[in-house]
Amino acid sequence: MKRKIVLFIILAFAIDWILWIATTIASGPVTEGAGLWSLVMPLAMFGPMVAALIVRAVPGEDIERGWRPKIRGHVRVYLLAWFVPAALSVLGAALYFLAFPGEFDAEAGRFSAAAQAQLGISSDRVPLMLAVQIAYAVVVAPLINMLVAIGEEVGWRGFLFPALGHYIPERKAAVLTGAIWGLWHAPLIAEGYNYGTDYAGFPVTGILMMVAGCTAFGMLLAFLRSRTGSVWAPALAHGAMNATAGLGLLFSSGTSTIMGPSPLGLAGFLPSLVLAVFLWRHMDGKRTEGQAAKHLAH
């Protein structure tokens, strides 16, 4: 199993780091939703899945990957996966705006200007469009994003988390998986993804912030995997976070920075950190070798 864990990490990093670096050479620094990056970014999310499938073909002991949704008996857990990320995003943005009140734009000026320019609507219809945008991000988009987020979750929480739990306590496996997941993003952060480039200690500070954010939020994803025995619950939560992470920007006069309002900024990720501490206390800390994988299989 140890050999499979090492091989998975090497493959997961190599597949996407090579892809990202090659795209940078061909198309310039990462710009989400533009040019070649609009194809590469969602495609790269399936790198960990590819790595997990390759590792599965390697002879030796394996673990239950959690492909079945297992919704029956876990409806409340799935509801948490669906809506807790939105709450974390909103709370994180609120903390950011409390710390930086000058950044708060109650009228959502940038959204209003874009809606009027792109859709040709009058200013009095902007509040309705804003409400629709928020409702879509919270209710609908998580289900769509889940179908892409599953590419990562099959690797991180489908294989790596229970495989590490084969040797160390479940909650420590959750922390280590989250940290590795965060470090996996390093080439993107070094190009200004999520935080830009205008902050002290660029890009090391940003990479460390990403590791911290993924470790904190990763506790929720690992908890969902553990409680349902399925990768679909963390995939739903992962998709929900991707869908709602930009809610704070709707009311920001600036852009996303190392401080926030994104839930991956310093102020924005504090609610995830509080939740992670709570979940740490409710996850197994005494699991012995082999028990974690067996537990997840049921």
Side-chain angles (χ1 to χ4, degrees), residues 85-86 89-90 93 97 110-111 130 133-134 137 240-252 254 256 261-264:
S89 294
V90 171
F97 291 130
R110 289 193 305 167
F111 175 85
L130 180 60
Q133 177 74 16
I134 293 173
M241 179 56 78
N242 288 350
T244 59
L247 289 179
L249 285 172
L250 294 174
F251 298 95
S252 175
S256 182
S262 159
L264 291 172

mmCIF file with all atom_site columns, all heavy atoms in Angstrom, residues 85-86 89-90 93 97 110-111 130 133-134 137 240-252 254 256 261-264:
data_model
loop_
_atom_site.group_PDB
_atom_site.id
_atom_site.type_symbol
_atom_site.label_atom_id
_atom_site.label_alt_id
_atom_site.label_comp_id
_atom_site.label_asym_id
_atom_site.label_entity_id
_atom_site.label_seq_id
_atom_site.pdbx_PDB_ins_code
_atom_site.Cartn_x
_atom_site.Cartn_y
_atom_site.Cartn_z
_atom_site.occupancy
_atom_site.B_iso_or_equiv
_atom_site.pdbx_formal_charge
_atom_site.auth_seq_id
_atom_site.auth_comp_id
_atom_site.auth_asym_id
_atom_site.auth_atom_id
_atom_site.pdbx_PDB_model_num
ATOM 1   N N   . PRO A 1 85  ? -20.686 24.577 2.272   1.00 0.00 ? 85  PRO A N   1
ATOM 2   C CA  . PRO A 1 85  ? -19.681 25.411 1.606   1.00 0.00 ? 85  PRO A CA  1
ATOM 3   C C   . PRO A 1 85  ? -20.163 26.827 1.319   1.00 0.00 ? 85  PRO A C   1
ATOM 4   O O   . PRO A 1 85  ? -19.385 27.790 1.433   1.00 0.00 ? 85  PRO A O   1
ATOM 5   C CB  . PRO A 1 85  ? -19.399 24.639 0.313   1.00 0.00 ? 85  PRO A CB  1
ATOM 6   C CG  . PRO A 1 85  ? -19.650 23.216 0.681   1.00 0.00 ? 85  PRO A CG  1
ATOM 7   C CD  . PRO A 1 85  ? -20.849 23.271 1.581   1.00 0.00 ? 85  PRO A CD  1
ATOM 8   N N   . ALA A 1 86  ? -21.435 26.991 0.954   1.00 0.00 ? 86  ALA A N   1
ATOM 9   C CA  . ALA A 1 86  ? -21.979 28.329 0.721   1.00 0.00 ? 86  ALA A CA  1
ATOM 10  C C   . ALA A 1 86  ? -21.949 29.148 2.009   1.00 0.00 ? 86  ALA A C   1
ATOM 11  O O   . ALA A 1 86  ? -21.592 30.338 2.001   1.00 0.00 ? 86  ALA A O   1
ATOM 12  C CB  . ALA A 1 86  ? -23.402 28.240 0.188   1.00 0.00 ? 86  ALA A CB  1
ATOM 13  N N   . SER A 1 89  ? -18.425 30.260 2.645   1.00 0.00 ? 89  SER A N   1
ATOM 14  C CA  . SER A 1 89  ? -18.046 31.345 1.748   1.00 0.00 ? 89  SER A CA  1
ATOM 15  C C   . SER A 1 89  ? -18.634 32.676 2.208   1.00 0.00 ? 89  SER A C   1
ATOM 16  O O   . SER A 1 89  ? -17.941 33.708 2.224   1.00 0.00 ? 89  SER A O   1
ATOM 17  C CB  . SER A 1 89  ? -18.513 31.039 0.318   1.00 0.00 ? 89  SER A CB  1
ATOM 18  O OG  . SER A 1 89  ? -17.838 29.932 -0.216  1.00 0.00 ? 89  SER A OG  1
ATOM 19  N N   . VAL A 1 90  ? -19.905 32.669 2.582   1.00 0.00 ? 90  VAL A N   1
ATOM 20  C CA  . VAL A 1 90  ? -20.576 33.897 3.014   1.00 0.00 ? 90  VAL A CA  1
ATOM 21  C C   . VAL A 1 90  ? -19.977 34.398 4.323   1.00 0.00 ? 90  VAL A C   1
ATOM 22  O O   . VAL A 1 90  ? -19.708 35.596 4.482   1.00 0.00 ? 90  VAL A O   1
ATOM 23  C CB  . VAL A 1 90  ? -22.091 33.655 3.158   1.00 0.00 ? 90  VAL A CB  1
ATOM 24  C CG1 . VAL A 1 90  ? -22.760 34.855 3.829   1.00 0.00 ? 90  VAL A CG1 1
ATOM 25  C CG2 . VAL A 1 90  ? -22.715 33.403 1.784   1.00 0.00 ? 90  VAL A CG2 1
ATOM 26  N N   . ALA A 1 93  ? -16.530 35.854 3.659   1.00 0.00 ? 93  ALA A N   1
ATOM 27  C CA  . ALA A 1 93  ? -16.622 37.169 3.024   1.00 0.00 ? 93  ALA A CA  1
ATOM 28  C C   . ALA A 1 93  ? -17.036 38.228 4.036   1.00 0.00 ? 93  ALA A C   1
ATOM 29  O O   . ALA A 1 93  ? -16.525 39.356 4.026   1.00 0.00 ? 93  ALA A O   1
ATOM 30  C CB  . ALA A 1 93  ? -17.621 37.116 1.872   1.00 0.00 ? 93  ALA A CB  1
ATOM 31  N N   . PHE A 1 97  ? -15.024 41.662 4.951   1.00 0.00 ? 97  PHE A N   1
ATOM 32  C CA  . PHE A 1 97  ? -15.575 43.015 4.847   1.00 0.00 ? 97  PHE A CA  1
ATOM 33  C C   . PHE A 1 97  ? -15.599 43.726 6.204   1.00 0.00 ? 97  PHE A C   1
ATOM 34  O O   . PHE A 1 97  ? -15.535 44.955 6.261   1.00 0.00 ? 97  PHE A O   1
ATOM 35  C CB  . PHE A 1 97  ? -16.975 42.967 4.235   1.00 0.00 ? 97  PHE A CB  1
ATOM 36  C CG  . PHE A 1 97  ? -16.984 42.573 2.783   1.00 0.00 ? 97  PHE A CG  1
ATOM 37  C CD1 . PHE A 1 97  ? -17.831 41.573 2.318   1.00 0.00 ? 97  PHE A CD1 1
ATOM 38  C CD2 . PHE A 1 97  ? -16.130 43.195 1.886   1.00 0.00 ? 97  PHE A CD2 1
ATOM 39  C CE1 . PHE A 1 97  ? -17.829 41.216 0.988   1.00 0.00 ? 97  PHE A CE1 1
ATOM 40  C CE2 . PHE A 1 97  ? -16.120 42.838 0.538   1.00 0.00 ? 97  PHE A CE2 1
ATOM 41  C CZ  . PHE A 1 97  ? -16.970 41.846 0.084   1.00 0.00 ? 97  PHE A CZ  1
ATOM 42  N N   . ARG A 1 110 ? -19.952 46.432 -9.622  1.00 0.00 ? 110 ARG A N   1
ATOM 43  C CA  . ARG A 1 110 ? -19.323 45.777 -10.773 1.00 0.00 ? 110 ARG A CA  1
ATOM 44  C C   . ARG A 1 110 ? -20.277 44.791 -11.432 1.00 0.00 ? 110 ARG A C   1
ATOM 45  O O   . ARG A 1 110 ? -20.333 44.689 -12.659 1.00 0.00 ? 110 ARG A O   1
ATOM 46  C CB  . ARG A 1 110 ? -18.033 45.068 -10.339 1.00 0.00 ? 110 ARG A CB  1
ATOM 47  C CG  . ARG A 1 110 ? -16.906 46.036 -9.993  1.00 0.00 ? 110 ARG A CG  1
ATOM 48  C CD  . ARG A 1 110 ? -15.582 45.326 -9.889  1.00 0.00 ? 110 ARG A CD  1
ATOM 49  N NE  . ARG A 1 110 ? -15.626 44.226 -8.940  1.00 0.00 ? 110 ARG A NE  1
ATOM 50  C CZ  . ARG A 1 110 ? -14.697 43.286 -8.830  1.00 0.00 ? 110 ARG A CZ  1
ATOM 51  N NH1 . ARG A 1 110 ? -13.656 43.310 -9.645  1.00 0.00 ? 110 ARG A NH1 1
ATOM 52  N NH2 . ARG A 1 110 ? -14.773 42.337 -7.924  1.00 0.00 ? 110 ARG A NH2 1
ATOM 53  N N   . PHE A 1 111 ? -21.019 44.042 -10.623 1.00 0.00 ? 111 PHE A N   1
ATOM 54  C CA  . PHE A 1 111 ? -22.004 43.116 -11.184 1.00 0.00 ? 111 PHE A CA  1
ATOM 55  C C   . PHE A 1 111 ? -23.081 43.892 -11.926 1.00 0.00 ? 111 PHE A C   1
ATOM 56  O O   . PHE A 1 111 ? -23.498 43.489 -13.031 1.00 0.00 ? 111 PHE A O   1
ATOM 57  C CB  . PHE A 1 111 ? -22.636 42.274 -10.078 1.00 0.00 ? 111 PHE A CB  1
ATOM 58  C CG  . PHE A 1 111 ? -23.746 41.382 -10.556 1.00 0.00 ? 111 PHE A CG  1
ATOM 59  C CD1 . PHE A 1 111 ? -23.475 40.133 -11.083 1.00 0.00 ? 111 PHE A CD1 1
ATOM 60  C CD2 . PHE A 1 111 ? -25.082 41.803 -10.497 1.00 0.00 ? 111 PHE A CD2 1
ATOM 61  C CE1 . PHE A 1 111 ? -24.501 39.307 -11.544 1.00 0.00 ? 111 PHE A CE1 1
ATOM 62  C CE2 . PHE A 1 111 ? -26.107 40.989 -10.948 1.00 0.00 ? 111 PHE A CE2 1
ATOM 63  C CZ  . PHE A 1 111 ? -25.817 39.741 -11.473 1.00 0.00 ? 111 PHE A CZ  1
ATOM 64  N N   . LEU A 1 130 ? -29.243 39.704 -9.659  1.00 0.00 ? 130 LEU A N   1
ATOM 65  C CA  . LEU A 1 130 ? -28.279 39.361 -8.609  1.00 0.00 ? 130 LEU A CA  1
ATOM 66  C C   . LEU A 1 130 ? -28.813 38.218 -7.751  1.00 0.00 ? 130 LEU A C   1
ATOM 67  O O   . LEU A 1 130 ? -28.074 37.275 -7.419  1.00 0.00 ? 130 LEU A O   1
ATOM 68  C CB  . LEU A 1 130 ? -28.013 40.588 -7.737  1.00 0.00 ? 130 LEU A CB  1
ATOM 69  C CG  . LEU A 1 130 ? -27.013 40.411 -6.588  1.00 0.00 ? 130 LEU A CG  1
ATOM 70  C CD1 . LEU A 1 130 ? -25.643 40.003 -7.121  1.00 0.00 ? 130 LEU A CD1 1
ATOM 71  C CD2 . LEU A 1 130 ? -26.900 41.704 -5.778  1.00 0.00 ? 130 LEU A CD2 1
ATOM 72  N N   . GLN A 1 133 ? -28.535 35.053 -9.684  1.00 0.00 ? 133 GLN A N   1
ATOM 73  C CA  . GLN A 1 133 ? -27.139 34.621 -9.727  1.00 0.00 ? 133 GLN A CA  1
ATOM 74  C C   . GLN A 1 133 ? -26.734 33.918 -8.441  1.00 0.00 ? 133 GLN A C   1
ATOM 75  O O   . GLN A 1 133 ? -26.092 32.857 -8.464  1.00 0.00 ? 133 GLN A O   1
ATOM 76  C CB  . GLN A 1 133 ? -26.232 35.841 -9.952  1.00 0.00 ? 133 GLN A CB  1
ATOM 77  C CG  . GLN A 1 133 ? -24.743 35.567 -9.938  1.00 0.00 ? 133 GLN A CG  1
ATOM 78  C CD  . GLN A 1 133 ? -24.254 34.860 -11.179 1.00 0.00 ? 133 GLN A CD  1
ATOM 79  O OE1 . GLN A 1 133 ? -24.965 34.824 -12.180 1.00 0.00 ? 133 GLN A OE1 1
ATOM 80  N NE2 . GLN A 1 133 ? -23.059 34.304 -11.114 1.00 0.00 ? 133 GLN A NE2 1
ATOM 81  N N   . ILE A 1 134 ? -27.123 34.480 -7.310  1.00 0.00 ? 134 ILE A N   1
ATOM 82  C CA  . ILE A 1 134 ? -26.779 33.895 -6.015  1.00 0.00 ? 134 ILE A CA  1
ATOM 83  C C   . ILE A 1 134 ? -27.497 32.560 -5.826  1.00 0.00 ? 134 ILE A C   1
ATOM 84  O O   . ILE A 1 134 ? -26.895 31.571 -5.389  1.00 0.00 ? 134 ILE A O   1
ATOM 85  C CB  . ILE A 1 134 ? -27.131 34.870 -4.877  1.00 0.00 ? 134 ILE A CB  1
ATOM 86  C CG1 . ILE A 1 134 ? -26.222 36.110 -4.962  1.00 0.00 ? 134 ILE A CG1 1
ATOM 87  C CG2 . ILE A 1 134 ? -26.969 34.192 -3.518  1.00 0.00 ? 134 ILE A CG2 1
ATOM 88  C CD1 . ILE A 1 134 ? -26.605 37.209 -3.985  1.00 0.00 ? 134 ILE A CD1 1
ATOM 89  N N   . ALA A 1 137 ? -25.847 29.901 -7.886  1.00 0.00 ? 137 ALA A N   1
ATOM 90  C CA  . ALA A 1 137 ? -24.555 29.492 -7.327  1.00 0.00 ? 137 ALA A CA  1
ATOM 91  C C   . ALA A 1 137 ? -24.729 28.562 -6.131  1.00 0.00 ? 137 ALA A C   1
ATOM 92  O O   . ALA A 1 137 ? -23.950 27.623 -5.950  1.00 0.00 ? 137 ALA A O   1
ATOM 93  C CB  . ALA A 1 137 ? -23.751 30.721 -6.918  1.00 0.00 ? 137 ALA A CB  1
ATOM 94  N N   . ALA A 1 240 ? -19.677 22.604 -4.654  1.00 0.00 ? 240 ALA A N   1
ATOM 95  C CA  . ALA A 1 240 ? -20.389 23.716 -4.021  1.00 0.00 ? 240 ALA A CA  1
ATOM 96  C C   . ALA A 1 240 ? -19.436 24.836 -3.636  1.00 0.00 ? 240 ALA A C   1
ATOM 97  O O   . ALA A 1 240 ? -19.752 26.025 -3.797  1.00 0.00 ? 240 ALA A O   1
ATOM 98  C CB  . ALA A 1 240 ? -21.142 23.213 -2.786  1.00 0.00 ? 240 ALA A CB  1
ATOM 99  N N   . MET A 1 241 ? -18.253 24.474 -3.149  1.00 0.00 ? 241 MET A N   1
ATOM 100 C CA  . MET A 1 241 ? -17.283 25.505 -2.795  1.00 0.00 ? 241 MET A CA  1
ATOM 101 C C   . MET A 1 241 ? -16.812 26.254 -4.044  1.00 0.00 ? 241 MET A C   1
ATOM 102 O O   . MET A 1 241 ? -16.697 27.483 -4.049  1.00 0.00 ? 241 MET A O   1
ATOM 103 C CB  . MET A 1 241 ? -16.090 24.893 -2.059  1.00 0.00 ? 241 MET A CB  1
ATOM 104 C CG  . MET A 1 241 ? -15.008 25.899 -1.676  1.00 0.00 ? 241 MET A CG  1
ATOM 105 S SD  . MET A 1 241 ? -15.625 27.285 -0.669  1.00 0.00 ? 241 MET A SD  1
ATOM 106 C CE  . MET A 1 241 ? -15.748 26.521 0.948   1.00 0.00 ? 241 MET A CE  1
ATOM 107 N N   . ASN A 1 242 ? -16.553 25.519 -5.119  1.00 0.00 ? 242 ASN A N   1
ATOM 108 C CA  . ASN A 1 242 ? -16.146 26.170 -6.362  1.00 0.00 ? 242 ASN A CA  1
ATOM 109 C C   . ASN A 1 242 ? -17.236 27.103 -6.882  1.00 0.00 ? 242 ASN A C   1
ATOM 110 O O   . ASN A 1 242 ? -16.949 28.144 -7.470  1.00 0.00 ? 242 ASN A O   1
ATOM 111 C CB  . ASN A 1 242 ? -15.809 25.122 -7.421  1.00 0.00 ? 242 ASN A CB  1
ATOM 112 C CG  . ASN A 1 242 ? -14.504 24.401 -7.145  1.00 0.00 ? 242 ASN A CG  1
ATOM 113 O OD1 . ASN A 1 242 ? -13.743 24.784 -6.272  1.00 0.00 ? 242 ASN A OD1 1
ATOM 114 N ND2 . ASN A 1 242 ? -14.245 23.338 -7.882  1.00 0.00 ? 242 ASN A ND2 1
ATOM 115 N N   . ALA A 1 243 ? -18.495 26.705 -6.658  1.00 0.00 ? 243 ALA A N   1
ATOM 116 C CA  . ALA A 1 243 ? -19.621 27.502 -7.150  1.00 0.00 ? 243 ALA A CA  1
ATOM 117 C C   . ALA A 1 243 ? -19.847 28.763 -6.338  1.00 0.00 ? 243 ALA A C   1
ATOM 118 O O   . ALA A 1 243 ? -20.286 29.787 -6.870  1.00 0.00 ? 243 ALA A O   1
ATOM 119 C CB  . ALA A 1 243 ? -20.889 26.648 -7.153  1.00 0.00 ? 243 ALA A CB  1
ATOM 120 N N   . THR A 1 244 ? -19.572 28.714 -5.046  1.00 0.00 ? 244 THR A N   1
ATOM 121 C CA  . THR A 1 244 ? -19.919 29.837 -4.159  1.00 0.00 ? 244 THR A CA  1
ATOM 122 C C   . THR A 1 244 ? -18.718 30.653 -3.692  1.00 0.00 ? 244 THR A C   1
ATOM 123 O O   . THR A 1 244 ? -18.893 31.658 -3.007  1.00 0.00 ? 244 THR A O   1
ATOM 124 C CB  . THR A 1 244 ? -20.669 29.317 -2.922  1.00 0.00 ? 244 THR A CB  1
ATOM 125 O OG1 . THR A 1 244 ? -19.841 28.373 -2.210  1.00 0.00 ? 244 THR A OG1 1
ATOM 126 C CG2 . THR A 1 244 ? -21.958 28.625 -3.332  1.00 0.00 ? 244 THR A CG2 1
ATOM 127 N N   . ALA A 1 245 ? -17.516 30.226 -4.050  1.00 0.00 ? 245 ALA A N   1
ATOM 128 C CA  . ALA A 1 245 ? -16.318 30.937 -3.582  1.00 0.00 ? 245 ALA A CA  1
ATOM 129 C C   . ALA A 1 245 ? -16.291 32.386 -4.047  1.00 0.00 ? 245 ALA A C   1
ATOM 130 O O   . ALA A 1 245 ? -15.676 33.245 -3.396  1.00 0.00 ? 245 ALA A O   1
ATOM 131 C CB  . ALA A 1 245 ? -15.058 30.211 -4.069  1.00 0.00 ? 245 ALA A CB  1
ATOM 132 N N   . GLY A 1 246 ? -16.957 32.678 -5.161  1.00 0.00 ? 246 GLY A N   1
ATOM 133 C CA  . GLY A 1 246 ? -16.938 34.038 -5.693  1.00 0.00 ? 246 GLY A CA  1
ATOM 134 C C   . GLY A 1 246 ? -18.090 34.909 -5.223  1.00 0.00 ? 246 GLY A C   1
ATOM 135 O O   . GLY A 1 246 ? -18.213 36.064 -5.675  1.00 0.00 ? 246 GLY A O   1
ATOM 136 N N   . LEU A 1 247 ? -18.933 34.439 -4.301  1.00 0.00 ? 247 LEU A N   1
ATOM 137 C CA  . LEU A 1 247 ? -20.069 35.242 -3.850  1.00 0.00 ? 247 LEU A CA  1
ATOM 138 C C   . LEU A 1 247 ? -19.621 36.558 -3.224  1.00 0.00 ? 247 LEU A C   1
ATOM 139 O O   . LEU A 1 247 ? -20.240 37.606 -3.435  1.00 0.00 ? 247 LEU A O   1
ATOM 140 C CB  . LEU A 1 247 ? -20.917 34.448 -2.851  1.00 0.00 ? 247 LEU A CB  1
ATOM 141 C CG  . LEU A 1 247 ? -21.731 33.283 -3.420  1.00 0.00 ? 247 LEU A CG  1
ATOM 142 C CD1 . LEU A 1 247 ? -22.507 32.584 -2.302  1.00 0.00 ? 247 LEU A CD1 1
ATOM 143 C CD2 . LEU A 1 247 ? -22.698 33.756 -4.504  1.00 0.00 ? 247 LEU A CD2 1
ATOM 144 N N   . GLY A 1 248 ? -18.543 36.506 -2.460  1.00 0.00 ? 248 GLY A N   1
ATOM 145 C CA  . GLY A 1 248 ? -18.053 37.726 -1.829  1.00 0.00 ? 248 GLY A CA  1
ATOM 146 C C   . GLY A 1 248 ? -17.611 38.761 -2.840  1.00 0.00 ? 248 GLY A C   1
ATOM 147 O O   . GLY A 1 248 ? -17.753 39.976 -2.615  1.00 0.00 ? 248 GLY A O   1
ATOM 148 N N   . LEU A 1 249 ? -17.089 38.309 -3.972  1.00 0.00 ? 249 LEU A N   1
ATOM 149 C CA  . LEU A 1 249 ? -16.621 39.237 -5.005  1.00 0.00 ? 249 LEU A CA  1
ATOM 150 C C   . LEU A 1 249 ? -17.763 40.022 -5.624  1.00 0.00 ? 249 LEU A C   1
ATOM 151 O O   . LEU A 1 249 ? -17.538 41.100 -6.189  1.00 0.00 ? 249 LEU A O   1
ATOM 152 C CB  . LEU A 1 249 ? -15.863 38.469 -6.090  1.00 0.00 ? 249 LEU A CB  1
ATOM 153 C CG  . LEU A 1 249 ? -14.449 38.014 -5.710  1.00 0.00 ? 249 LEU A CG  1
ATOM 154 C CD1 . LEU A 1 249 ? -13.881 37.103 -6.783  1.00 0.00 ? 249 LEU A CD1 1
ATOM 155 C CD2 . LEU A 1 249 ? -13.543 39.220 -5.503  1.00 0.00 ? 249 LEU A CD2 1
ATOM 156 N N   . LEU A 1 250 ? -18.988 39.497 -5.555  1.00 0.00 ? 250 LEU A N   1
ATOM 157 C CA  . LEU A 1 250 ? -20.142 40.229 -6.088  1.00 0.00 ? 250 LEU A CA  1
ATOM 158 C C   . LEU A 1 250 ? -20.319 41.562 -5.359  1.00 0.00 ? 250 LEU A C   1
ATOM 159 O O   . LEU A 1 250 ? -20.829 42.526 -5.938  1.00 0.00 ? 250 LEU A O   1
ATOM 160 C CB  . LEU A 1 250 ? -21.413 39.392 -5.951  1.00 0.00 ? 250 LEU A CB  1
ATOM 161 C CG  . LEU A 1 250 ? -21.482 38.112 -6.780  1.00 0.00 ? 250 LEU A CG  1
ATOM 162 C CD1 . LEU A 1 250 ? -22.743 37.326 -6.429  1.00 0.00 ? 250 LEU A CD1 1
ATOM 163 C CD2 . LEU A 1 250 ? -21.456 38.427 -8.270  1.00 0.00 ? 250 LEU A CD2 1
ATOM 164 N N   . PHE A 1 251 ? -19.911 41.589 -4.096  1.00 0.00 ? 251 PHE A N   1
ATOM 165 C CA  . PHE A 1 251 ? -20.096 42.791 -3.284  1.00 0.00 ? 251 PHE A CA  1
ATOM 166 C C   . PHE A 1 251 ? -18.764 43.458 -2.924  1.00 0.00 ? 251 PHE A C   1
ATOM 167 O O   . PHE A 1 251 ? -18.685 44.229 -1.977  1.00 0.00 ? 251 PHE A O   1
ATOM 168 C CB  . PHE A 1 251 ? -20.856 42.440 -2.000  1.00 0.00 ? 251 PHE A CB  1
ATOM 169 C CG  . PHE A 1 251 ? -22.227 41.895 -2.267  1.00 0.00 ? 251 PHE A CG  1
ATOM 170 C CD1 . PHE A 1 251 ? -22.447 40.532 -2.338  1.00 0.00 ? 251 PHE A CD1 1
ATOM 171 C CD2 . PHE A 1 251 ? -23.300 42.744 -2.480  1.00 0.00 ? 251 PHE A CD2 1
ATOM 172 C CE1 . PHE A 1 251 ? -23.712 40.017 -2.594  1.00 0.00 ? 251 PHE A CE1 1
ATOM 173 C CE2 . PHE A 1 251 ? -24.571 42.244 -2.741  1.00 0.00 ? 251 PHE A CE2 1
ATOM 174 C CZ  . PHE A 1 251 ? -24.777 40.878 -2.800  1.00 0.00 ? 251 PHE A CZ  1
ATOM 175 N N   . SER A 1 252 ? -17.731 43.145 -3.684  1.00 0.00 ? 252 SER A N   1
ATOM 176 C CA  . SER A 1 252 ? -16.419 43.714 -3.420  1.00 0.00 ? 252 SER A CA  1
ATOM 177 C C   . SER A 1 252 ? -16.077 44.771 -4.466  1.00 0.00 ? 252 SER A C   1
ATOM 178 O O   . SER A 1 252 ? -16.347 44.589 -5.656  1.00 0.00 ? 252 SER A O   1
ATOM 179 C CB  . SER A 1 252 ? -15.349 42.615 -3.430  1.00 0.00 ? 252 SER A CB  1
ATOM 180 O OG  . SER A 1 252 ? -14.064 43.171 -3.282  1.00 0.00 ? 252 SER A OG  1
ATOM 181 N N   . GLY A 1 254 ? -13.040 45.538 -5.034  1.00 0.00 ? 254 GLY A N   1
ATOM 182 C CA  . GLY A 1 254 ? -11.723 45.152 -5.532  1.00 0.00 ? 254 GLY A CA  1
ATOM 183 C C   . GLY A 1 254 ? -11.746 43.759 -6.116  1.00 0.00 ? 254 GLY A C   1
ATOM 184 O O   . GLY A 1 254 ? -12.795 43.244 -6.523  1.00 0.00 ? 254 GLY A O   1
ATOM 185 N N   . SER A 1 256 ? -10.050 39.555 -5.801  1.00 0.00 ? 256 SER A N   1
ATOM 186 C CA  . SER A 1 256 ? -9.635  38.580 -4.800  1.00 0.00 ? 256 SER A CA  1
ATOM 187 C C   . SER A 1 256 ? -8.152  38.749 -4.475  1.00 0.00 ? 256 SER A C   1
ATOM 188 O O   . SER A 1 256 ? -7.324  38.929 -5.371  1.00 0.00 ? 256 SER A O   1
ATOM 189 C CB  . SER A 1 256 ? -9.893  37.166 -5.315  1.00 0.00 ? 256 SER A CB  1
ATOM 190 O OG  . SER A 1 256 ? -9.551  36.209 -4.345  1.00 0.00 ? 256 SER A OG  1
ATOM 191 N N   . PRO A 1 261 ? -11.947 38.396 -0.565  1.00 0.00 ? 261 PRO A N   1
ATOM 192 C CA  . PRO A 1 261 ? -13.014 37.756 0.219   1.00 0.00 ? 261 PRO A CA  1
ATOM 193 C C   . PRO A 1 261 ? -13.224 36.273 -0.089  1.00 0.00 ? 261 PRO A C   1
ATOM 194 O O   . PRO A 1 261 ? -14.131 35.649 0.454   1.00 0.00 ? 261 PRO A O   1
ATOM 195 C CB  . PRO A 1 261 ? -14.250 38.564 -0.177  1.00 0.00 ? 261 PRO A CB  1
ATOM 196 C CG  . PRO A 1 261 ? -13.974 38.963 -1.590  1.00 0.00 ? 261 PRO A CG  1
ATOM 197 C CD  . PRO A 1 261 ? -12.498 39.230 -1.643  1.00 0.00 ? 261 PRO A CD  1
ATOM 198 N N   . SER A 1 262 ? -12.418 35.725 -0.981  1.00 0.00 ? 262 SER A N   1
ATOM 199 C CA  . SER A 1 262 ? -12.510 34.301 -1.273  1.00 0.00 ? 262 SER A CA  1
ATOM 200 C C   . SER A 1 262 ? -12.301 33.491 -0.002  1.00 0.00 ? 262 SER A C   1
ATOM 201 O O   . SER A 1 262 ? -11.534 33.883 0.882   1.00 0.00 ? 262 SER A O   1
ATOM 202 C CB  . SER A 1 262 ? -11.439 33.920 -2.298  1.00 0.00 ? 262 SER A CB  1
ATOM 203 O OG  . SER A 1 262 ? -11.152 32.546 -2.261  1.00 0.00 ? 262 SER A OG  1
ATOM 204 N N   . PRO A 1 263 ? -12.957 32.328 0.125   1.00 0.00 ? 263 PRO A N   1
ATOM 205 C CA  . PRO A 1 263 ? -12.748 31.461 1.299   1.00 0.00 ? 263 PRO A CA  1
ATOM 206 C C   . PRO A 1 263 ? -11.345 30.878 1.357   1.00 0.00 ? 263 PRO A C   1
ATOM 207 O O   . PRO A 1 263 ? -11.002 30.205 2.329   1.00 0.00 ? 263 PRO A O   1
ATOM 208 C CB  . PRO A 1 263 ? -13.799 30.361 1.127   1.00 0.00 ? 263 PRO A CB  1
ATOM 209 C CG  . PRO A 1 263 ? -14.152 30.380 -0.317  1.00 0.00 ? 263 PRO A CG  1
ATOM 210 C CD  . PRO A 1 263 ? -14.003 31.790 -0.768  1.00 0.00 ? 263 PRO A CD  1
ATOM 211 N N   . LEU A 1 264 ? -10.515 31.133 0.348   1.00 0.00 ? 264 LEU A N   1
ATOM 212 C CA  . LEU A 1 264 ? -9.118  30.705 0.383   1.00 0.00 ? 264 LEU A CA  1
ATOM 213 C C   . LEU A 1 264 ? -8.184  31.827 0.803   1.00 0.00 ? 264 LEU A C   1
ATOM 214 O O   . LEU A 1 264 ? -6.983  31.635 0.899   1.00 0.00 ? 264 LEU A O   1
ATOM 215 C CB  . LEU A 1 264 ? -8.697  30.154 -0.988  1.00 0.00 ? 264 LEU A CB  1
ATOM 216 C CG  . LEU A 1 264 ? -9.343  28.820 -1.378  1.00 0.00 ? 264 LEU A CG  1
ATOM 217 C CD1 . LEU A 1 264 ? -9.004  28.470 -2.819  1.00 0.00 ? 264 LEU A CD1 1
ATOM 218 C CD2 . LEU A 1 264 ? -8.898  27.710 -0.446  1.00 0.00 ? 264 LEU A CD2 1
#
